[in-house]
Amino acid sequence: MKPGGLTFHFHKVSDWAWLTGHIGYFWQLSRTHLYIALVSVAIGLLLALLVGCLAARIPTTHPPILAVTTVLYAWPSLAAFAFLLSITGPSDTTVIIPLSAYAFALLVRSVTEGINNVPDDVRIAATAMGYRSMRRLLTIELPAAVPVIIAGLRVATVSSISLATVASLIGVSTLGQLFVAGENTDFLTEIIAGVVIVAMWALVFDGLLLLSGRMLTPWARRVS
Amino acid sequence: MIRFERVTKRYADGTLAVDDLSLECADGEITVLVGTSGCGKTTSLRMINRLVDPTSGTIRVAGKDVTKSDPAELRRTMGYVIQQGGLFPHRTVIDNIAPVPRLLGASRAKARGRAYEMLTLVGLSEPMGKRYPYQLSGGQQQRVGVARALAADPPVLLMDEPFSAVDPVVRSELQQELQRLQAQLHKTIVFVTHDVDEAVKLGDKIAVMQVGGHLVQFDTPERILARPENAFVESFVGTDRGIRWLSFFAAKGLRLHVPATVETTTSAEDARRIAREAGTGWLLALDADRHPLGWLEVATLNGGASIELAGLRSLGHTFKPDDDSLRAALDATVLSPAGVAVAVDDRGVVVGVADHEEVTRAIRAASGRA
Ligand SMILES: Nc1ncnc2c1ncn2[C@@H]1O[C@H](COP(=O)(O)OP(=O)(O)O)[C@@H](O)[C@H]1O
Ligand SMILES: [Mg+2]
């Protein structure tokens, strides 16, 4: 099961003992990791809601907003890290800024798509009832867009948890630290532990979002 | 009163949707805009609540030019019901009905109380209030749409093909429901449909529109059916307009005859004698309470014992002279094996019969009056 070309040493103590001995360490890395990943998603979501609503309200702003998000989305994260490193140094901020931008780019699409998917007759009915456009957006269109936004949020969260590992390359200790250290010491167990823990957190938060989405939108549940 | 004064709407792409429309929708009446798809009905309706603004001309509601009002405030005084319901998917039925009172400043509790009243008014049960729109049938969704439109008790109700998307049985129920509500509430209703039958059934006045946004005829349903303005209206209302027109005349004016009758205990010999004396081949069989059972054809009788119930021919259907129209009486005549329609009172007791000649005479008298 060794990757071709690379040889890894195994420690004298059993790997299992190493793992159980480092649970505190994993937990500490996880906390930084999740803090960075989730704060980034939260910032991205907040901005996406603001900008997405703007795009929905003023249709002419829609194409330029989409163009900007495409650029953000395609921007190589390492280049962003390198650039920010020279300004903000090896801090959480250096990681949170590009991760937020990435989540934002993803979520703006969800928000605009969610709002645009609200059936026209719902929009017209609200207008005809005497809703002004801001109130209609906030109390009708946005809540009706929640299922689409949650779907986007799940993707953004999983991506963000995965991307936060990169932070360790610039010295911010996230779970990516396990890859960096494992690689340096040729210790396969540590790398595998890193992958498993990151995947586990991704699954946990995806599941939490799925459940809270179901709870937030009982109206979207279909009889099966 | 809603008044269209020389109203024209040309959309940005050049489409002339409404062309020089002048029309008055009287207070407390149902005015139906009817016409084929694309003739400008929806556009006309939407100019009343300013979802669309006219290119030229004026629309006045209670004398006031609608373009002088704030759109949102204007709309809160007009209920609007559309074909697909347009219910808010993320809100329960009650929270779909409550918004307009809320927008008008009612407290949450008061708006909800009002919403429950409306739910009952449109014939839905209270537990239904907690459901979400996806848990309702199409007909129930339309009822909620009507409840929502009525919640703030607006003087004006605008309805755009509200019953077109439901099946015929439910549609007919909803139409009756609307008639019942209107008898109670006396709203000024503008009702859009492409269905002539619906227009005739519901309208106090009907405006027939033609593609290009022209008003072709504006009249009572009786007159639209009896005196179509031109070939377009004539073909639009259909070939059986004469029969439908008869539904506007009460069967009350029919001169009923006393039928020759038999009871189940009558002997065949007596039945033949009764028929001979009355000069008819058909006898109406009654039960002990004088409810009609069916027609007995004298020629088919054999033997001399009692008449055979099994040999009775069906009545088709009966009619009630006090409630029904000449259309129902004519229909009963056509379906009767004896060619004679049987009139009954509210308890189902026979009050007389009318034959083809009598129905024809009544129709002639009615058309003379039209
Ligand atoms: N927003 C719009 N822009 C351009 N043309 C429109 C618009 N809405 C309706 N029309 C056109 O105006 C005409 C009348 O439409 P409408 O009022 O919806 O008719 P109806 O309700 O009788 O079917 C049609 O030809 C339709 O295609
Ligand atoms: Mg229409």
Side-chain angles (χ1 to χ4, degrees), chain B residues 160-171:
Chain B
D160 195 347
E161 311 225 14
F163 310 142
S164 298
V166 294
D167 66 68
V169 175
V170 175
R171 185 180 314 148

Side-chain angles (χ1 to χ4, degrees), chain A residues 121 127 130 132 219 221-222, chain B residues 70 75-76 80 86 89-90 134:
Chain A
D121 55 87
T127 310
R132 293 183 204 279
W219 52 270
R221 219 171 292 162
R222 299 280 162 229
Chain B
D70 171 72
R75 289 169 190 148
R76 291 171 197 168
Y80 188 60
H90 62 294
Y134 84 90

Side-chain angles (χ1 to χ4, degrees), chain B residues 23-34 157 178-193 196-208 217-225 248:
Chain B
L23 192 68
E24 276 186 22
C25 310
D27 282 340
E29 288 195 350
I30 301 183
T31 305
V32 177
L33 307 183
V34 68
L157 208 52
L178 180 66
Q179 287 176 313
R180 184 182 62 76
L181 283 174
Q182 175 64 351
Q184 199 178 329
L185 303 172
H186 308 292
K187 300 289 179 192
T188 304
I189 300 179
V190 186
F191 188 106
V192 163
T193 181
V196 183
D197 281 322
E198 186 168 64
V200 167
K201 185 167 176 186
L202 297 176
D204 294 302
K205 283 285 203 64
I206 296 178
V208 184
Q217 186 169 4
F218 183 48
D219 225 325
T220 60
E222 290 94 314
R223 290 186 58 85
I224 298 262
L225 289 174
F248 291 100

Side-chain angles (χ1 to χ4, degrees), chain A residues 118-132 135 139-145 216-223, chain B residues 46 49 51 70-73 75-76 78-80 82 84-91 96-97 99-100 102-103 132-134 148:
Chain A
V118 174
D120 245 351
D121 55 87
V122 169
R123 220 183 305 277
I124 287 171
T127 310
M129 286 163 81
Y131 277 83
R132 293 183 204 279
R135 186 165 185 158
T139 65
I140 308 295
E141 296 175 88
L142 211 47
L216 271 175
T217 60
W219 52 270
R221 219 171 292 162
R222 299 280 162 229
V223 273
Chain B
R46 287 184 175 179
N49 65 357
L51 289 176
D70 171 72
E73 272 161 31
R75 289 169 190 148
R76 291 171 197 168
M78 300 177 174
Y80 188 60
I82 53 181
Q84 310 82 353
L87 300 184
F88 304 149
H90 62 294
R91 292 201 182 170
N96 261 284
I97 303 175
V100 186
R102 284 288 283 157
L103 289 168
Y132 287 103
Y134 84 90
R148 171 167 79 176

Side-chain angles (χ1 to χ4, degrees), chain B residues 37-43 83 160-161 192:
Chain B
S37 177
C39 69
K41 308 181 292 293
T42 296
T43 303
Q83 185 177 337
D160 195 347
E161 311 225 14
V192 163

Side-chain angles (χ1 to χ4, degrees), chain A residues 7 10 12 20 31 36 62 71 120 134 136 170 176-177 192 206 220:
Chain A
T7 43
F10 287 83
K12 305 278 184 296
T20 50
R31 274 174 41 186
I36 286 174
H62 198 176
V71 172
D120 245 351
M134 203 56 190
R136 187 185 78 195
I170 59 160
Q177 191 61 40
I192 292 174
D206 192 47

